[in-house]
Amino acid sequence: DESFVEGCWGTVAEQTDEAFLDDRSDADDDMEKGRIKFPTGKLYGRDGELKLLRGLYREIIEDSKSSKPTARVIFVGGYSGVGKSAAIAELVRQVKSDHHGKVIVGDNDDKIVSASGKYSKLRSAAAPFSAISESLGQLTAEILEPDREELLLKIRIELSEHWDAVRIMGTMFPVMVPLLFDDGDENPSKRGSAVATPNMNEVKLAFQFCMIRIFRCLDDAPFIWFLDDFQWCDDASLTLLEDILTSGELSNVLFIGSYRSNEVDEDHPFQRLMNDVESSAAHATTRMDLFGLSPDDIGEFIADTIGRDGAAEVSTLTEVVYARTLGNIFFVKQALEELVRKNALFYDMMTFAWEYNVGKVQLQNYLSEDVIQMIQCKIDEQPMDVKKLVVTMSFVPNNTDLPTLTALLRLEGVEAERVEKLANHAMKQGMIMRKSNSTGKDNHANFVFAHDKIREACFDSIPEGRPREELMTRISYVLIRLADNANNSEGESNKDWALFVAADHMNSVSHELVPRMELSRLNHRVGELNLAKGATVAANANFLAALACLEDTGEKWKGVVYQFTLQLLEKVIEVTFSVGQFEMSFSHIQDILENAVSLEDKFTAYLYRMKTLAEGENRDYAIGVVEGLKICDVYGIKFPDSPKKSDLMKESMQLKAALRGRPLTVLANLPMAEDSSMFLLLKELIVYANFSGNHDLVCLISDRSISLALQRGLSKDLMTILTIRAGFLARDTSKLKAANKFAAAAEQVLEPFREENKVLCAETNFRLTVTVFALLRPFRECVDGVLDAYRPLLHAGNSGTGLGSALAYLYMYLIAGLPLNSPLFEPKLIIFGEAARVLHRSTFEVCFNSQRQMVINLTKKKRNWTELKGDAFDEDAFLKTVDGNARSMGLRDTSMLRLVLAFIFWDEECMITMLENLSKFAKSDLSVARTCLRLCFIGLAGFEMGRKNKNKSQLELANVCLGYFKSLSKHGSPNAIPIYHFLKAMASPSRAAYDEAILQCKEARFYHLAAMASERCGVFLGAENHNDDASKQYIVAAYWLYHDWGALSKTNNLLEQYSFLKGATQGYRKAPSDASSIMRLANRVGKN
């Protein structure tokens, strides 16, 4: 080595000969072996950060005293090596040390429980939830300690009320089995029925249910939960964490997530998670950035390391090291070790002290520019077998237990009995650490790298090319064998993670190193594992890789490979469709239709052909219906292309004959159908028929489906069919009785599935609420129930219906007049829009973003209120990108929002234009809330503009809307009554009519409509009757009602219009309560 300092008298070289590894030396002192020893038990330069962290922990404890248990969320950013993990470890140490391992709150003295997990840079090779699983293993180990039997029993009792959730947790996180189950019940399937593969929604619900209750059982000793290296987090983990961290039920936990700030930009998924958690406002959220230590802190560290009295004695060394490391503590350690290796810093046996006898310039020359180079020098100096150990470990994510390490090194020619000794040597070199394993049969400790930079250096020590690929292939085969052995041996800990690593490595090596068919089956296997854990995007990548490998073999569709080809292509079709890759999905559909040999084998392809045509890039439900009718014909179920009245009567008569006078609820007593495929086909077809407005076909399909169920048995898909028929009937107010019959039947049929299929329950309740129940129930009572369906449906893969529930929620929110300035409302709009973008659902994305822009116009915008153009949405830009049916539907939805804005801000020109755009949409549709919103404002604007401009067509349009609400009001609809009275007042204006409308709106708590009615009455009185005092009363009342609603842009607009408002509203900085705003302020007008 050119930079090695020769002739430094009194130094001792590091002993790395074979004798050391064979235990022939007593030497065990770091100084004696020429290794530098860094201070432990002291954290440098982080007093301020630790004070903040401990304060947040104390806040949780204080909140628990006041019976308001809370949680705190902290996101810690900083460059690699800056000391994020060390700071959190010191926090845990200090909290435990403060109370000798206990937190004393009241009479409680539960021990503090903490757990951590770490994501790996080899993210594509890691199993979903890797860091979460690691932390849950540590949590389990702590709770299973001998002195915590009461806590363990308490947790099991708390979880016993929901056994399905416990079984799912045991299936998804095997490390928790010893905590969740008694010794005799370690297999989750031993109690009750065997656990089917859960979908992502079920995992999320089970995770949230179990973890929240476990945290509560820890009482007043808050759990410290630390997950590290979020820049490498998998999407499935982010989905799971978002759900629990935004839950208002989470309490008694300090959650800390750390990440490399230079690797997480604004578009990084973890950045979006942090934003979502902050905007949810469910818990106090803190962001903290750690930077390099100061020169003084580094000087103190170096002085302590080499045994000097203070930083002043090592100023030269500190200056050189700091210039290279900028205060990054990990880099500082590597720099000092490199100076030791080059003998520029040495331990003098004559003075028994560390010395350096070269100047600043020379010291600078001995340090490498890159920390990775420093570490690689250290690796190169290790004995060959130690080097093999650390290099092999670098190709496996995160933790590696001794048996796995032994199996991997045996293939590299290392004797099994020497592996632990080699690992101990690597630990003494500061390259790896020993970490306690999770509970279970296998109690071997895990080995982890001391730092990710060490892993990177070890990984890079094998250059890219054939040597690295051959090593990765050897490692992969060992890991596959380990996973297979674990799965085939009772009592062995789960090693599915090994399959993820093997697939990732094998996918990256040259084709000739791994047989293509073997790799295809491995990718298919890993894709199924990813799909079972809700990692849809990762599963998609695996299935596509499997298909590419299969095509390389040339055996696709041939002989024994036929069935595997079919199964693989069906998975590819399902997953590519779910992530919005419609063209790719369609090409694979054609592959199956051209090569499959039976109708049964072609069913999935036919089904997704219809779905892709209906929901693809050029969304057209009518085309999907046409295709669906053809497919039904192929499978022997014939429908006329254009049903006539005679067809409907014939089908209805056949159904009556099949029912034999029994009510529709008799369907709930039917046995389950052996084959539900036809019901699935009919369900998808009726959905598209409903969306496309083919009402006769909806009736025909629903009647045929019921007749089919009476013949073949019950299917879960029948619920959707019944629900859609109920919603269709409810669109005609004269058929509400029939609609309720079908809704009641759907609820009865749902009962056998309610416990085992939460997603189906959520979907059915959502559909019935949006289409039927909302007709006769207040929107305010329905709105939360509709939103409850969003997450279950979305995370179960039913993205269309899930986003539809979010959209229905927003329409209900707007027509119900709920507060626009709620701190959670706009964040929800952002989250919904982002979900639609990620899922490639452009139609929904437009709806969410346009509604968000409407809210911005009402609450923040200063001018051009009726234009949907701003930070959230630009209507003109959107309309330029679409045509055909997509443009027509988009224009319908944006015109409705602009009409609302035009009526509120009284833009007559805009109202006339929007009425023209909406003239053919003055009718009911699938969503009661959207129908009410659209028809309400078409009617309000139509009466005023029609009367003013003597436009007969606009008046006719308004009267159609009035008739709709009149009919609903006769049925007692609490939502229709106030709108009906407001429309009557607009049709025949009078003070008495407006007073009645305002009263009805107040009673229904439609305060936004009460505001509009008050304003219109004020304008009417001032313009028609010249009653200025009365007019002012109504305008002031309108002002405060708008203020209550949160429409601050409108209140500013009124202040500009009416100078008297400035005096009438002076002194009020907060909106009065909803119940009192009209009377109190109307009475106050006369005093100004």
Side-chain angles (χ1 to χ4, degrees):
D1 190 335
E2 294 178 355
S3 61
F4 191 87
V5 180
E6 297 182 358
C8 290
W9 183 84
T11 62
V12 176
E14 181 180 357
Q15 182 177 341
T16 58
D17 60 335
E18 187 179 348
F20 169 74
L21 298 180
D22 288 344
D23 279 333
R24 280 176 273 170
S25 172
D26 298 325
D28 196 35
D29 183 85
D30 285 338
M31 298 291 192
E32 182 184 333
K33 296 187 180 67
R35 283 193 298 271
I36 198 163
K37 189 173 184 179
F38 298 115
T40 58
K42 180 179 180 180
L43 191 67
Y44 294 81
R46 299 297 182 202
D47 292 343
E49 291 87 347
L50 285 169
K51 182 179 180 180
L52 173 61
L53 292 169
R54 291 173 65 183
L56 292 171
Y57 187 81
R58 176 56 59 181
E59 286 178 10
I60 303 174
I61 298 173
E62 294 301 324
D63 287 343
S64 68
K65 291 180 181 179
S66 59
S67 301
K68 293 189 298 184
T70 59
R72 295 292 185 273
V73 178
I74 307 169
F75 297 117
V76 181
Y79 279 57
S80 172
V82 80
K84 302 182 293 294
S85 302
I88 307 308
E90 178 64 13
L91 167 69
V92 174
R93 189 195 68 77
Q94 288 189 12
V95 168
K96 291 185 176 183
S97 176
D98 282 348
H99 305 285
H100 305 290
K102 297 184 179 181
V103 174
I104 308 300
V105 182
D107 296 327
N108 191 288
D109 63 349
D110 284 344
K111 288 185 179 179
I112 295 170
V113 179
S114 65
S116 63
K118 184 179 179 69
Y119 290 101
S120 170
K121 186 175 183 179
L122 300 176
R123 180 170 57 175
S124 59
F129 316 125
S130 58
I132 296 175
S133 183
E134 182 183 352
S135 67
L136 295 183
Q138 292 183 22
L139 172 62
T140 298
E142 289 215 25
I143 294 175
L144 289 177
E145 288 182 0
D147 58 345
R148 285 186 171 144
E149 291 89 348
E150 290 186 10
L151 175 60
L152 178 61
L153 179 61
K154 183 179 180 181
I155 289 172
R156 287 178 176 167
I157 292 173
E158 183 73 19
L159 297 179
S160 63
E161 63 184 87
H162 204 310
W163 193 250
D164 286 343
V166 175
R167 291 210 310 269
I168 290 172
M169 282 294 285
T171 300
M172 301 305 295
F173 300 102
V175 292
M176 294 193 74
V177 165
L179 184 154
L180 299 172
F181 303 93
D182 293 332
D183 292 340
D185 292 307
E186 289 192 6
N187 187 340
S189 65
K190 287 185 179 180
R191 293 193 185 184
S193 58
V195 181
T197 300
N199 57 47
M200 187 58 181
N201 169 65
E202 291 170 325
V203 175
K204 285 163 58 66
L205 292 175
F207 183 78
Q208 186 172 143
F209 176 89
C210 292
M211 297 312 299
I212 285 174
R213 280 154 182 78
I214 290 173
F215 296 154
R216 286 177 185 168
C217 288
L218 299 175
D219 294 324
D220 298 315
F223 174 57
I224 303 176
W225 189 11
F226 174 45
L227 298 182
D228 195 8
D229 282 329
F230 264 102
Q231 71 277 359
W232 298 322
C233 181
D234 59 284
D235 293 335
S237 288
L238 292 174
T239 301
L240 205 61
L241 291 169
E242 179 191 355
D243 202 53
I244 194 168
L245 294 180
T246 56
S247 170
E249 294 185 55
L250 181 67
S251 63
N252 205 41
V253 59
L254 176 68
F255 176 86
I256 307 171
S258 73
Y259 62 100
R260 295 185 183 179
S261 51
N262 57 314
E263 297 183 28
V264 175
D265 58 20
E266 288 300 317
D267 295 325
H268 195 286
F270 180 61
Q271 185 69 250
R272 291 196 290 272
L273 171 70
M274 291 192 288
N275 294 340
D276 290 347
V277 172
E278 282 183 322
S279 62
S280 75
H283 310 286
T285 303
T286 303
R287 294 204 194 194
M288 175 189 295
D289 286 304
L290 297 188
F291 301 99
L293 300 179
S294 69
D296 289 343
D297 293 327
I298 295 301
E300 182 183 354
F301 173 76
I302 293 175
D304 290 346
T305 299
I306 65 174
R308 298 300 174 88
D309 291 335
E313 294 188 22
V314 291
S315 57
T316 301
L317 183 57
T318 299
E319 186 177 349
V320 171
V321 170
Y322 191 86
R324 280 284 192 270
T325 64
L326 298 178
N328 185 301
I329 190 65
F330 174 74
F331 294 175
V332 169
K333 292 178 180 179
Q334 301 309 309
L336 292 175
E337 286 188 340
E338 183 169 30
L339 290 175
V340 172
R341 284 195 299 275
K342 294 181 177 179
N343 232 10
L345 178 62
F346 58 93
Y347 188 72
D348 193 323
M349 293 297 294
M350 300 298 294
T351 61
F352 300 103
W354 286 96
E355 302 286 354
Y356 55 96
N357 62 355
V358 290
K360 184 168 73 173
V361 175
Q362 289 174 292
L363 283 171
Q364 289 174 337
N365 293 335
Y366 298 142
L367 287 177
S368 304
E369 294 288 343
D370 183 6
V371 68
I372 295 293
Q373 292 178 7
M374 299 180 192
I375 301 170
Q376 284 176 340
C377 290
K378 184 175 182 177
I379 295 168
D380 291 338
E381 291 184 359
Q382 302 305 312
M384 181 55 67
D385 285 350
V386 174
K387 185 175 180 180
K388 285 181 181 180
L389 182 142
V390 294
V391 168
T392 301
M393 273 186 62
S394 71
F395 285 85
V396 181
N398 290 338
N399 302 345
T400 310
D401 60 30
L402 188 61
T404 301
L405 201 51
T406 301
L408 291 169
L409 288 175
R410 185 185 295 119
L411 205 64
E412 303 303 308
V414 179
E415 297 172 358
E417 58 271 16
R418 298 185 68 236
V419 174
E420 189 167 9
K421 181 64 178 179
L422 296 171
N424 288 334
H425 178 73
M427 284 193 292
K428 289 182 177 180
Q429 292 291 328
M431 302 179 73
I432 65 175
M433 302 184 300
R434 189 187 298 269
K435 193 171 186 180
S436 60
N437 198 1
S438 60
T439 60
K441 299 291 185 183
D442 178 9
N443 287 319
H444 293 285
N446 287 327
F447 295 100
V448 298
F449 280 96
H451 196 275
D452 290 312
K453 288 294 183 183
I454 300 176
R455 173 193 290 280
E456 291 175 31
C458 292
F459 188 90
D460 292 339
S461 66
I462 304 294
E464 291 186 9
R466 194 72 173 195
R468 179 185 289 186
E469 291 185 356
E470 289 177 349
L471 175 60
M472 292 167 71
T473 303
R474 293 195 300 273
I475 289 173
S476 298
Y477 278 117
V478 173
L479 293 175
I480 293 171
R481 187 171 65 252
L482 289 172
D484 289 340
N485 291 341
N487 291 334
N488 295 330
S489 301
E490 188 173 351
E492 283 286 333
S493 57
N494 184 286
K495 280 188 166 58
D496 283 344
W497 64 266
L499 297 175
F500 288 87
V501 180
D504 187 67
H505 286 343
M506 286 181 163
N507 284 330
S508 64
V509 304
S510 302
H511 287 194
E512 62 270 17
L513 291 176
V514 183
R516 295 291 91 188
M517 181 58 70
E518 189 177 320
L519 184 53
S520 179
R521 293 185 183 277
L522 176 61
N523 272 297
H524 180 269
R525 186 177 174 184
V526 173
E528 293 279 17
L529 289 171
N530 265 318
L531 205 57
K533 292 179 179 291
T536 308
V537 175
N540 187 38
N542 284 123
F543 289 135
L544 291 175
L547 184 59
C549 292
L550 178 60
E551 290 172 341
D552 288 343
T553 66
E555 297 296 315
K556 188 178 173 186
W557 293 113
K558 294 180 181 179
V560 295
V561 183
Y562 172 88
Q563 199 60 39
F564 174 71
T565 303
L566 179 64
Q567 292 172 356
L568 176 58
L569 282 171
E570 286 178 342
K571 285 296 180 185
V572 170
I573 290 167
E574 292 173 19
V575 177
T576 52
F577 178 87
S578 71
V579 298
Q581 296 177 350
F582 301 116
E583 288 187 14
M584 182 180 294
S585 182
F586 199 80
S587 68
H588 297 308
I589 288 168
Q590 294 304 111
D591 192 351
I592 291 182
L593 294 178
E594 291 170 6
N595 293 286
V597 297
S598 70
L599 282 176
E600 183 181 358
D601 290 348
K602 294 180 181 182
F603 180 80
T604 298
Y606 271 128
L607 181 68
Y608 276 89
R609 178 179 170 83
M610 173 179 62
K611 290 166 68 72
T612 304
L613 288 172
E615 300 187 46
E617 296 294 340
N618 301 313
R619 179 183 297 254
D620 194 325
Y621 298 122
I623 293 176
V625 169
V626 172
E627 184 64 26
L629 291 173
K630 293 178 183 177
I631 296 169
C632 284
D633 191 36
V634 169
Y635 286 91
I637 301 178
K638 298 183 182 295
F639 293 106
D641 294 337
S642 301
K644 300 176 183 177
K645 188 175 182 179
S646 59
D647 296 317
L648 297 174
M649 291 179 63
K650 180 180 177 181
E651 196 71 47
S652 178
M653 292 301 294
Q654 290 175 345
L655 175 58
K656 285 182 180 180
L659 284 169
R660 300 196 301 275
R662 295 171 294 176
L664 286 175
T665 51
V666 73
L667 294 169
N669 301 324
L670 294 175
M672 294 295 169
E674 293 182 4
D675 181 5
S676 295
S677 56
M678 288 302 103
F679 292 101
L680 175 60
L681 177 60
L682 292 171
K683 181 196 78 171
E684 297 293 344
L685 179 57
I686 198 173
V687 167
Y688 299 139
N690 195 34
F691 285 161
S692 63
N694 196 333
H695 303 153
D696 290 341
L697 188 58
V698 168
C699 294
L700 210 59
I701 294 170
S702 58
D703 284 352
R704 182 75 60 86
S705 300
I706 296 169
S707 297
L708 199 63
L710 291 169
Q711 297 170 16
R712 302 185 182 183
L714 189 60
S715 165
K716 63 183 179 64
D717 296 310
L718 187 62
M719 254 79 69
T720 303
I721 294 170
L722 293 171
T723 302
I724 288 174
R725 178 67 179 275
F728 159 71
L729 289 169
R731 292 165 71 175
D732 184 344
T733 55
S734 67
K735 297 179 180 178
L736 283 181
K737 185 176 180 180
N740 280 314
K741 279 174 54 179
F742 276 90
E747 287 193 304
Q748 287 290 317
V749 172
L750 181 62
E751 284 306 314
F753 303 95
R754 191 174 294 277
E755 285 301 317
E756 65 183 52
N757 199 326
K758 304 295 185 184
V759 176
L760 177 64
C761 184
E763 180 179 357
T764 303
N765 290 336
F766 152 64
R767 289 185 185 277
L768 289 175
T769 300
V770 168
T771 59
V772 182
F773 298 151
L775 286 168
L776 301 177
R777 298 176 187 172
F779 287 134
R780 285 173 179 256
E781 292 181 11
C782 298
V783 66
D784 289 335
V786 170
L787 186 60
D788 287 343
Y790 168 69
R791 291 188 185 279
L793 290 169
L794 202 64
H795 295 301
N798 195 343
S799 57
T801 310
L803 293 171
S805 68
L807 191 59
Y809 162 81
L810 294 177
Y811 284 128
M812 277 192 185
Y813 197 101
L814 291 173
I815 189 59
L818 289 162
L820 300 175
N821 54 357
S822 165
L824 299 181
F825 184 51
E826 188 176 355
K828 284 178 181 175
L829 283 165
I830 296 171
I831 291 170
F832 296 154
E834 180 62 18
R837 183 191 68 79
V838 170
L839 292 167
H840 305 283
R841 297 284 185 160
S842 57
T843 303
F844 285 109
E845 186 179 2
V846 168
C847 290
F848 294 137
N849 291 343
S850 59
Q851 289 192 42
R852 181 181 164 216
Q853 187 60 53
M854 173 193 174
V855 172
I856 291 173
N857 287 11
L858 284 166
T859 58
K860 302 175 183 177
K861 207 170 182 182
K862 296 182 179 179
R863 289 288 181 272
N864 303 320
W865 301 288
T866 59
E867 294 181 6
L868 292 178
K869 185 173 184 178
D871 295 337
F873 183 72
D874 186 334
E875 182 187 26
D876 292 337
F878 157 68
L879 292 174
K880 291 176 183 177
T881 63
V882 291
D883 52 24
N885 187 59
R887 190 179 196 280
S888 176
M889 293 299 99
L891 188 61
R892 176 201 66 183
D893 293 335
T894 57
S895 295
M896 176 179 66
L897 300 180
R898 291 188 65 192
L899 180 60
V900 175
L901 292 169
F903 185 81
I904 292 172
F905 290 99
W906 205 253
D907 185 334
E908 295 185 2
E909 183 180 349
C910 183
M911 276 192 276
I912 292 170
T913 303
M914 295 307 110
L915 285 170
E916 291 174 359
N917 292 347
L918 294 168
S919 59
K920 60 181 179 180
F921 297 110
K923 54 188 178 183
S924 61
D925 66 13
L926 303 177
S927 166
V928 172
R930 183 168 62 186
T931 297
C932 288
L933 184 66
R934 185 169 64 242
L935 297 190
C936 172
F937 284 91
I938 289 176
L940 293 173
F943 279 127
E944 187 69 21
M945 293 299 99
R947 184 170 54 250
K948 183 173 183 177
N949 300 317
K950 298 180 180 180
N951 188 313
K952 186 177 179 182
S953 62
Q954 289 175 347
L955 289 172
E956 289 175 350
L957 200 64
N959 276 302
V960 169
C961 300
L962 180 66
Y964 174 81
F965 290 106
K966 180 179 180 180
S967 178
L968 277 181
S969 296
K970 288 181 178 179
H971 287 88
S973 169
N975 302 310
I977 291 171
I979 299 175
Y980 171 60
H981 283 282
F982 192 4
L983 287 171
K984 278 179 54 178
M986 293 295 291
S988 301
S990 70
R991 183 170 183 174
Y994 277 118
D995 281 344
E996 180 64 20
I998 294 168
L999 177 64
Q1000 293 293 339
C1001 289
K1002 285 174 57 184
E1003 288 186 353
R1005 294 195 291 173
F1006 282 15
Y1007 299 116
H1008 61 319
L1009 294 183
M1012 297 174 213
S1014 297
E1015 183 184 6
R1016 298 323 316 154
C1017 184
V1019 172
F1020 167 75
L1021 292 175
E1024 300 292 329
N1025 300 328
H1026 305 291
N1027 189 340
D1028 288 341
D1029 288 339
S1031 174
K1032 287 180 179 180
Q1033 290 180 8
Y1034 285 97
I1035 296 297
V1036 172
Y1039 173 91
W1040 283 115
L1041 283 163
Y1042 281 125
H1043 198 292
D1044 290 346
W1045 185 34
L1048 300 185
S1049 296
K1050 176 61 180 176
T1051 58
N1052 292 333
N1053 172 244
L1054 288 174
L1055 287 171
E1056 291 178 1
Q1057 283 184 269
Y1058 302 104
S1059 58
F1060 67 84
L1061 276 176
K1062 294 180 181 178
T1065 60
Q1066 188 175 6
Y1068 286 84
R1069 296 192 177 276
K1070 292 185 178 180
S1073 66
D1074 290 337
S1076 62
S1077 57
I1078 292 179
M1079 292 305 298
R1080 184 194 317 161
L1081 287 154
N1083 291 337
R1084 187 171 178 272
V1085 172
K1087 300 176 183 178
N1088 289 284

